[in-house]
């Protein structure tokens, strides 16, 4: 049986553009959904869904064997590998669905809200629906067929959006989000078999190969979930659904740069890093370039989120959500930290070092929980957000040290060279942007747009000046400039 090969390969830069298009299309729909739901629903409705989603995600992460990552990491994956992965995913989801349903009452008591229980019981079905999706769609990312991946995710997202909006207009409560989730999952499962010809079957032949990879990946998955959501569990337990709703929307808005720009870039970089794992010098250079590009995007975007938080909430969510701005400011800083470490995890995964990532993630989780429970047992949502930022700073330093240990050719000076210019330029933007004052008669949405443009100009001018002062070294500026010139030449030829 031959490996599952690609029929349409694309370059890394084209792949990045397609993945950014996927995420931005998805996020544009998500942003529109947020704007509409913020007017139709109350923060407590979002809080109830957040409580249910966290419980479901916790159980799912405890059983997540990372079959998609295992298939991508295995460059010679064959049909029986896909069959085994699909079988394992089905088993995992069946068990998770039973556990989620059984623990719905426990979750409702923990969050002090009986409305959470029926929501969890219904949403347990969505976990099973996701599992029956065609495992063949993983090959879109593995083989860098990002055009097909774009089509699949975009159409699935649009259908889920339409169902959610119709339900929200009719129901005007949190059940609209449940209906949208279930409807989108059903369509996604059906559509996955339309867009990809693979028909997996129950098979245990290659189960051992996947499970050998899965052990550390499972620990990494649980740790990553807790690292991302443990704070939400604490906020949900210590505060009301209203506050959790504000906290949740603050997290989502602040994460826009990382989820919509950095995540798609990392998604393309992972198979690229896998192809270079046997060539350490090339892998190091590819990682440094990825780090430079990601920080060039992530640091100013996170800083801009924090600087314009109040303007964004007023325009996007409305006056009843204004307390959300404080959460966006803190979490914007957290996402700056995440931008610096974004590509390192994919390098370690490409090298098969899932246990190192698991170790670092678990370290952060345990330190966070120890401080939050033992030192700050009464800390509210704002205290928890600040603690999360401190833990993220310490975790980044540890993580970069682990990456350098696995790439002996990598030096701290090289890491600093990749991040210092966007960091200083973002600081210049942070100092200059608050002094920008626009006339009061200018509409809020126009003020927000102008401040974004002004901030982008200040950052771009600062980073280019620093790049020239540094002697125009090869890096993100060079790479992005070359891609821009190629784009202009292509437009001129056309």
């Amino acid at each position: 049986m031959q490996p599952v090969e690609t029929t349409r390969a694309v370059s890394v830069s084209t792949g990045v553009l397609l993945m950014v298009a996927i995420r931005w299309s998805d996020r544009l729909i998500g942003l529109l959904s947020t704007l509409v739901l913020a007017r139709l629903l109350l923060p407590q409705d979002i809080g109830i869904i957040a409580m249910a989603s966290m419980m479901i995600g916790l159980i799912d992460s405890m059983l997540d064997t990372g079959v998609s990552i295992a298939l991508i990491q295995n460059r010679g994956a064959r049909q029986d590998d896909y069959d085994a992965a699909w079988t394992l995913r089905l088993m995992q989801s069946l068990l998770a669905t039973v556990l989620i349903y059984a623990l719905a009452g426990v979750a409702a008591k923990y969050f002090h809200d009986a409305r959470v229980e029926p929501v969890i019981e219904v949403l347990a079905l969505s976990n099973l629906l996701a599992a029956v999706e065609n495992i063949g769609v993983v090959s879109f990312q593995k083989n860098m067929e990002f055009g097909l991946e774009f089509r699949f995710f975009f159409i699935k997202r649009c259908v889920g959006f339409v169902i959610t909006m119709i339900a929200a207009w009719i129901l005007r409560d949190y059940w609209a989000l449940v209906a949208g989730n279930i409807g989108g999952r059903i369509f996604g499962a059906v559509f996955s078999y339309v867009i990809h010809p693979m028909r997996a079957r129950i098979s245990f032949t290659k189960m051992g190969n996947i499970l050998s990879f899965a052990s550390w990946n499972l620990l990494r998955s649980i740790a990553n979930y807790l690292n991302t959501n443990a704070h939400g569990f604490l906020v949900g337990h210590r505060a009301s659904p209203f506050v959790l709703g504000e906290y949740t929307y603050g997290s989502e808005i602040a994460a826009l740069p990382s989820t919509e720009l950095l995540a798609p870039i990392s998604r393309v970089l992972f198979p690229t890093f896998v192809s270079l794992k046997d060539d350490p010098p090339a892998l190091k250079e590819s990682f440094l370039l990825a780090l430079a590009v990601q920080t060039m995007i992530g640091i100013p975007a996170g800083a801009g989120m924090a600087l314009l938080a109040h303007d964004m909430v007023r325009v996007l969510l409305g006056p009843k959500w204004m307390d959300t701005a404080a959460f966006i400011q803190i979490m914007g800083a957290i996402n700056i930290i995440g931008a610096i470490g974004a590509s390192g995890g994919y390098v370690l995964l490409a090298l098969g070092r899932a246990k190192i990532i698991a170790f670092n993630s678990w370290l952060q989780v345990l330190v966070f929980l120890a401080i939050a429970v033992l030192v700050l047992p009464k800390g509210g949502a704002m205290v928890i957000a600040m603690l999360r930022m401190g833990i993220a700073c310490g975790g980044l330093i540890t993580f970069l040290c682990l990456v350098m240990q696995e790439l002996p050719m990598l030096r701290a000076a090289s890491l600093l060279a990749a991040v210092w210019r966007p960091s200083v330029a973002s600081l210049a933007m942070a100092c200059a942007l608050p002094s920008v004052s626009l006339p009061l008669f200018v509409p809020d949405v126009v003020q927000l747009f102008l401040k974004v443009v002004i901030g982008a100009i200040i950052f771009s001018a600062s980073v280019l000046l620093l790049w020239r002062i540094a002697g125009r070294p090869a890096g993100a500026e060079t790479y992005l400039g070359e891609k821009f010139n190629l784009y202009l030449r292509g437009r001129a030829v056309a």
Side-chain angles (χ1 to χ4, degrees):
M1 193 176 294
Q2 295 299 316
V4 179
E5 298 288 353
T6 180
T7 56
R8 301 183 189 90
V10 298
S11 69
V12 173
S13 57
T14 303
V16 167
L17 291 176
L18 283 170
M19 287 310 302
V20 170
I22 290 174
R23 293 300 302 185
W24 273 99
S25 298
D26 177 76
R27 207 53 222 168
L28 183 61
I29 296 171
L31 181 59
L32 181 60
S33 175
T34 298
L35 296 177
V36 176
L37 292 175
R39 266 68 181 181
L40 296 177
L41 306 181
L42 296 172
Q44 67 180 13
D45 294 314
I46 306 302
I48 290 170
I49 295 299
M51 291 173 177
S53 299
M54 285 189 293
M55 183 63 187
I56 292 170
L58 175 62
I59 300 299
D60 194 39
S61 71
M62 294 174 68
L63 299 170
D64 183 11
T65 52
V67 295
S68 297
I69 294 176
L71 289 173
I72 296 171
Q73 202 268 347
N74 180 5
R75 286 185 286 178
R78 303 167 184 267
Q79 180 64 50
D80 45 2
D81 291 293
Y82 281 82
D83 291 339
W86 188 70
T87 303
L88 184 58
R89 191 174 70 182
L90 275 178
M91 294 167 58
Q92 164 205 322
S93 296
L94 281 169
L95 179 57
T97 300
V98 172
L99 288 175
I100 290 167
Y101 192 89
L103 294 173
V106 176
K109 291 179 180 178
Y110 174 81
F111 290 119
H112 312 297
D113 198 313
R115 293 172 294 180
V116 175
E117 183 172 0
V119 172
I120 291 178
E121 291 173 345
V122 175
L123 284 178
L125 177 62
S126 70
N127 191 64
L128 191 57
L129 290 170
V132 300
E133 201 172 82
N134 190 350
I135 192 71
V137 298
V138 174
S139 67
F140 293 157
Q141 181 186 0
K142 177 181 176 63
N143 298 328
M144 303 183 77
E145 298 174 295
F146 298 113
L148 289 172
E149 189 168 20
F150 174 83
R151 188 188 311 169
F152 174 64
F153 284 105
F154 179 73
I155 295 176
K156 183 172 71 169
R157 189 71 167 92
C158 285
V159 171
F161 167 74
V162 171
I163 295 172
T164 302
M165 291 301 101
I166 293 174
W169 184 260
I170 296 172
L171 300 175
R172 301 298 177 102
D173 66 10
Y174 52 88
W175 284 106
L177 298 173
V178 177
N181 182 286
I182 297 295
R185 293 286 194 185
I186 293 173
F187 176 81
V190 174
F191 186 51
S192 67
Y193 289 93
V194 174
I195 198 169
H196 197 284
M198 183 178 289
R199 298 295 181 265
R201 58 184 178 83
I202 300 295
S203 173
F204 300 91
T205 305
K206 293 295 184 71
M207 191 77 76
N209 293 345
I210 297 177
L211 288 174
S212 63
F213 176 86
S215 57
W216 281 107
N217 191 72
L218 179 60
L219 290 175
R220 180 188 66 85
S221 173
I222 298 172
N224 282 348
Y225 182 81
L226 291 175
N227 208 10
T228 306
N229 293 280
H231 54 94
F233 274 98
L234 291 174
V235 173
H237 180 66
R238 297 178 182 180
S240 67
F242 192 97
V243 173
L244 180 60
E246 294 176 329
Y247 186 91
T248 300
Y249 261 15
S251 296
E252 290 181 0
I253 293 175
L256 284 174
S258 58
T259 57
E260 315 323 322
L261 290 173
L262 302 184
I265 293 174
S266 296
R267 192 174 177 85
V268 174
L269 289 173
F270 181 40
T272 303
F273 288 157
V274 170
S275 69
L276 297 174
K277 66 179 182 179
D278 297 323
D279 186 354
L283 179 59
K284 185 199 79 168
E285 293 305 318
S286 181
F287 164 66
L288 287 175
L289 178 58
L291 174 64
V293 172
Q294 289 184 304
T295 54
M296 188 66 69
I297 297 170
I299 293 178
M305 282 284 179
L307 291 167
L308 300 176
H310 288 88
D311 301 83
M312 293 181 64
V313 172
R314 186 165 49 251
V315 170
L316 299 180
L317 304 181
K320 64 184 177 183
W321 292 86
M322 286 308 297
D323 289 344
T324 304
F327 295 125
I328 295 176
Q329 290 174 328
I330 297 175
M331 293 169 191
I334 293 173
N335 283 287
I336 291 176
I337 299 168
I340 299 175
S343 56
Y346 285 96
V347 169
L348 294 177
L349 279 178
L351 293 172
R353 304 294 194 272
K355 63 182 180 181
I356 294 178
I357 304 174
F359 167 80
N360 185 60
S361 296
W362 273 107
L363 180 62
Q364 291 186 60
V365 169
L366 294 175
V367 172
F368 172 81
L369 290 176
I371 296 175
V373 175
L374 300 178
V375 181
L376 302 169
K378 302 295 183 180
M382 192 61 64
V383 172
I384 290 172
M386 294 291 290
L387 174 60
R388 185 183 169 199
M389 181 172 65
I391 296 297
C393 290
L396 175 63
I397 295 172
T398 304
F399 184 65
L400 291 178
C401 290
L402 292 172
V403 172
M404 286 191 290
Q405 182 177 341
E406 293 302 316
L407 286 176
M409 303 173 66
L410 188 62
R411 296 289 181 268
S414 300
L415 297 175
L416 181 61
V419 304
W420 78 267
R421 290 190 297 277
S423 299
V424 175
S426 296
L427 181 61
M429 179 182 68
C431 292
L433 195 56
S435 63
V436 174
S437 180
L438 298 173
L440 294 177
F441 63 81
V442 177
D444 289 341
V445 65
V446 177
Q447 288 205 30
L448 176 60
F449 174 76
L450 291 176
K451 287 180 181 179
V452 170
V453 172
I454 293 170
I457 292 173
I458 294 171
F459 172 80
S460 300
S462 299
V463 82
L464 286 175
L465 177 61
L466 293 170
W467 179 59
R468 288 177 177 272
I469 292 174
R472 302 185 181 185
E477 299 89 347
T478 308
Y479 178 81
L480 295 174
E482 290 174 352
K483 296 304 175 185
F484 184 67
N485 287 333
L486 287 175
Y487 170 76
L488 292 179
R489 291 173 188 171
R491 294 278 294 180
V493 171

